[in-house]
Amino acid sequence: MALATLTGTQLPTDCYGLLTDAVALGRIIRIMSKTSRRVVFGVLLIVTLVVSTGGALGYLGRLTLVFDRHPGKPLAIVEEVPGPPDGPKCSIDARYFDEEPEGLRPEVLKAWLALRAKASEQGIKLCLNDGKRSRGQQQAEFDEAVEKFGNAELASKYVLNPPDRSMHVIGFAVDIQPIESAKWVEKNGSALGWCRRYENEQWHFEYNAGYPTGGCPALIPSATGS
């Protein structure tokens, strides 16, 4: 049987010899073990460096995490998560949209689907005219409201500014149309965590896990509280 030399140890060159020569096989296992340990150590070192660098950059404000719409992945910065800009026309009132509930927090999405299912059981169609907004979308809504109402004070009664104050931006609010459907939600939604919040917005509802047991809070005049 021919022999080969590997780092000072003679090893059989045929497969049968490699498998039956206990000394040679032990030598190969030790070599592979050392190599595997080096590979594992190297990978761990790289991962540690990447995580440390990312953490440092995040602390310094130089790392911006972006939104990934794939299911199951975390929302890095909720306020930057955009909702759909529009959707198909509401099937019972074409003046409104019925957009997908994308971007709502998981528990809010679950509550919205439950609300919609309960309404459907009673023959009520709920159209989601507006749901999740990003900071940018909220700012655009406010700018449009300023043009519509003529000044920022009136506009803010319907669209909160700065954007971070809005429950739409943090994923807890929906605007439901048409108004007849919104009236049904005002009457029946609290059992599933949905309450109307503003006297001047019949369509605006917010989710809170405490509403089913604690009931809806009193309405306030508008988004500004006055």
Side-chain angles (χ1 to χ4, degrees):
M1 178 175 63
L3 297 175
T5 300
L6 179 61
T7 61
T9 299
Q10 288 185 322
L11 299 176
T13 57
D14 63 298
C15 293
Y16 178 78
L18 286 172
L19 293 174
T20 57
D21 190 313
V23 175
L25 187 58
R27 177 63 175 167
I28 292 172
I29 292 173
R30 287 195 298 274
I31 292 170
M32 292 178 65
S33 179
K34 290 179 180 178
T35 302
S36 299
R37 287 198 296 271
R38 292 192 185 99
V39 170
V40 171
F41 178 76
V43 170
L44 290 175
L45 180 60
I46 292 172
V47 171
T48 301
L49 289 173
V50 170
V51 172
S52 298
T53 302
L57 289 175
Y59 178 78
L60 295 173
R62 297 175 184 174
L63 180 65
T64 301
L65 302 178
V66 297
F67 171 58
D68 192 332
R69 289 185 182 275
H70 294 292
K73 292 192 176 181
L75 305 183
I77 305 173
V78 173
E79 291 82 1
E80 296 300 338
V81 176
D86 52 41
K89 296 294 185 180
C90 176
S91 60
I92 56 176
D93 194 330
R95 293 176 298 172
Y96 306 108
F97 294 116
D98 187 16
E99 69 179 37
E100 292 296 323
E102 296 180 3
L104 296 176
R105 291 171 181 263
E107 67 274 24
V108 181
L109 174 60
K110 182 179 180 180
W112 165 251
L113 295 177
L115 179 70
R116 202 167 206 175
K118 182 178 180 180
S120 181
E121 290 174 359
Q122 299 185 23
I124 304 296
K125 168 70 174 180
L126 306 182
C127 288
L128 180 55
N129 190 56
D130 203 1
K132 179 68 175 71
R133 302 173 191 156
S134 64
R135 288 187 181 107
Q137 288 173 320
Q138 180 75 10
Q139 185 63 54
E141 292 260 355
F142 179 74
D143 294 342
E144 290 178 9
V146 171
E147 291 185 10
K148 178 180 179 180
F149 294 106
N151 60 68
E153 182 179 358
L154 288 176
S156 63
K157 291 182 179 292
Y158 293 90
V159 185
L160 277 171
N161 194 57
D164 284 0
R165 296 177 58 199
S166 171
M167 296 296 280
H168 283 285
V169 172
I170 60 176
F172 280 99
V174 296
D175 290 345
I176 297 172
Q177 292 288 359
I179 293 302
E180 288 304 314
S181 297
K183 288 180 179 178
W184 180 91
V185 177
E186 185 173 4
K187 182 178 179 180
N188 300 279
S190 62
L192 295 173
W194 293 98
C195 289
R196 178 184 169 191
R197 296 297 294 112
Y198 308 131
E199 289 180 359
N200 69 330
E201 294 186 42
Q202 287 182 278
W203 54 85
H204 179 91
F205 293 85
E206 297 176 4
Y207 173 76
N208 188 303
Y211 289 161
T213 55
C216 292
L219 293 176
I220 55 179
S222 71
T224 60
S226 60

